[in-house]
Amino acid sequence: MASKRKDSNTEEKILSAARQVFIEKGFAGARMQDIADRAEINKAMLHYYFKNKEMLFEVIFRETAGKLFPHFEKLMESDLNFFDKIRSIVSSYIEMIIQNPYLPLFVMNEMNKNPQIGLKNFFEAQKPGFVKKFRESIEESVKNGIIQPINPIHLIMNIFSMCAFPFIAKPMISMLTGIEDEQFKNLMEQRKVLVAEFIIHSIKK
Amino acid sequence: MASKRKDSNTEEKILSAARQVFIEKGFAGARMQDIADRAEINKAMLHYYFKNKEMLFEVIFRETAGKLFPHFEKLMESDLNFFDKIRSIVSSYIEMIIQNPYLPLFVMNEMNKNPQIGLKNFFEAQKPGFVKKFRESIEESVKNGIIQPINPIHLIMNIFSMCAFPFIAKPMISMLTGIEDEQFKNLMEQRKVLVAEFIIHSIKK
DNA sequence: AAGTTTGTTAACCAAATGGTTAATTTTAAT
DNA sequence: ATTAAAATTAACCATTTGGTTAACAAACTT
């Protein structure tokens, strides 16, 4: 019989429960008792493993925000042509959000409510250099005459907007169009190629 | 000297304070005492004018969500050509969000946390018919060979994504690029025409 | 002017909430 | 087997929070 410690693995259970509750309710709406209940442990254990609500939240936020820009830096450095880079980014980014549908809203919302959390838990640790690389790649493609002149910031905004926003707006979309979960997932699956081609068609010379 | 009642206009002060607090903190993070303090009135007055936190919130939510799709229905019925309709929608929509930068995140977030609030306070009252009109207009333009074939839902998603998402992601953008308030506002001003042309260029035959 | 309604306040209340304590059990070390 | 360290629990605590009450003040009605 496995030891109680390793068997129960309390810390994992807490993190799993905290992930659920924080992402579902947000920091302000999350209740420590709720987390304890879902982890099936005593509330005091939360404070035993993590000092307080803030600390527990920061672990979850950091882990979640860390998924936000996965391997883009490497991808931008790859020898794919510019259009294939866009195809690859769009497709993998939408797939990532399909796997974590609440991620964009959670991160954006908490960063708006408390911008410090971003600086503390995101900037220092894995300050993503992909924006610079992305920028350079766009500027180069403009110079080489592959794409129309465009401010890289706007192009980057456009790409991530079309990938992430539909997930943030899902309840609104569902309300306005009657689209339900299954159909929504199909649409998002379509967007993996659709958005990329939409962008490429718009900037191609 | 004006009467105390009309002079003080407590209800307006409450609504103004509630607007601030709810939009800043969200429903879960908002505190009734905070609203009372900002309105410079006794907390009991909140319950005198509005039954409870939920009721007060619903007034604010309804009023806020009401700004979300302003005059699009009329605009879609106008005799502008399809491309000018898109230019007009994008421009006026971004301008609306510049005037109410927290509106998209507030509405989307609260609808995610509690989808019922949308049905109760949005759907019934001003169920926007503009989606249907928009759809028809797109389908017509496709048939007339003005634009490339495209699923209207995706095009609508693309348009609103590029308009609204940058405001939702502002803290993230600011963190990744160092862009501050003034420069951000300039970028959004540019997007009024930029996004429209980006879309048109992408769907034009 | 008297009485009724409306508006406002201070004090209060019960429940919820984040957090702590002290005792107990389990596990690991000797 | 003994002991020290780590994990867990029940009970408790102080503060916050949404909400109420009862008394009072101002404003209309007649």
Side-chain angles (χ1 to χ4, degrees), chain A residues 84-116:
Chain A
D84 280 343
K85 280 180 184 169
I86 287 183
R87 287 189 184 98
S88 180
I89 281 189
V90 167
S91 172
S92 67
Y93 203 60
I94 291 179
E95 175 58 27
M96 184 278 288
I97 308 182
I98 288 175
Q99 299 304 323
N100 308 276
Y102 296 110
L103 195 150
L105 181 59
F106 172 68
V107 175
M108 298 305 158
N109 191 44
E110 297 301 334
M111 282 191 69
N112 266 277
K113 304 276 189 265
N114 173 17
Q116 291 175 330

Side-chain angles (χ1 to χ4, degrees), chain B:
Chain B
M1 197 152 144
S3 74
K4 196 176 174 184
R5 275 191 213 184
K6 294 202 168 177
D7 189 28
S8 60
N9 210 344
T10 306
E11 193 170 339
E12 287 275 324
K13 293 205 295 184
I14 293 175
L15 285 173
S16 171
R19 215 172 286 135
Q20 283 176 45
V21 175
F22 279 131
I23 287 178
E24 195 175 301
K25 309 274 180 73
F27 176 79
R31 298 290 165 253
M32 294 297 268
Q33 189 61 58
D34 190 2
I35 295 173
D37 290 346
R38 294 205 207 188
E40 295 178 298
I41 45 121
N42 188 295
K43 187 166 59 106
M45 295 302 287
L46 298 179
H47 298 89
Y48 180 75
Y49 282 91
F50 306 89
K51 243 188 301 293
N52 53 37
K53 194 183 178 185
E54 277 76 23
M55 293 296 154
L56 180 52
F57 177 78
E58 282 184 21
V59 174
I60 300 298
F61 181 87
R62 196 171 316 193
E63 153 198 307
T64 307
K67 293 182 185 170
L68 213 55
F69 306 110
H71 48 238
F72 291 159
E73 207 158 345
K74 287 174 213 154
L75 205 156
M76 292 315 299
E77 284 164 350
S78 76
D79 56 359
L80 289 174
N81 71 57
F82 185 72
F83 294 142
D84 281 343
K85 280 181 184 169
I86 286 183
R87 288 189 183 97
S88 179
I89 280 190
V90 167
S91 173
S92 67
Y93 202 60
I94 291 179
E95 175 59 27
M96 184 278 288
I97 308 182
I98 288 176
Q99 299 305 321
N100 308 275
Y102 295 111
L103 196 151
L105 182 59
F106 172 68
V107 175
M108 298 306 156
N109 191 44
E110 298 301 333
M111 281 192 68
N112 266 278
K113 304 276 189 264
N114 174 16
Q116 291 175 328
I117 200 104
L119 293 172
K120 256 175 77 179
N121 296 283
F122 197 79
F123 214 8
E124 51 171 278
Q126 62 132 212
K127 178 178 183 172
F130 85 93
V131 175
K132 198 185 166 198
K133 294 264 160 55
F134 206 158
R135 238 172 145 144
E136 289 166 358
S137 184
I138 294 170
E139 278 159 1
E140 188 199 318
S141 300
V142 170
K143 267 179 200 151
N144 293 358
I146 296 168
I147 64 171
Q148 307 245 344
I150 184 168
N151 180 340
I153 294 290
H154 283 298
L155 180 52
I156 295 172
M157 280 186 189
N158 291 351
I159 293 172
F160 286 102
S161 295
M162 287 190 276
C163 291
F165 185 75
F167 293 88
I168 289 174
K170 189 191 163 195
M172 178 65 75
I173 293 168
S174 168
M175 220 183 61
L176 292 177
T177 66
I179 289 171
E180 300 290 339
D181 284 20
E182 197 193 359
Q183 198 183 348
F184 184 80
K185 219 218 145 194
N186 289 340
L187 283 171
M188 294 308 115
E189 209 63 54
Q190 293 169 12
R191 289 180 75 78
K192 287 188 194 172
V193 302
L194 214 143
V195 167
E197 299 310 322
F198 188 90
I199 293 163
I200 289 168
H201 195 268
S202 184
I203 59 178
K204 191 158 46 177
K205 272 205 166 153

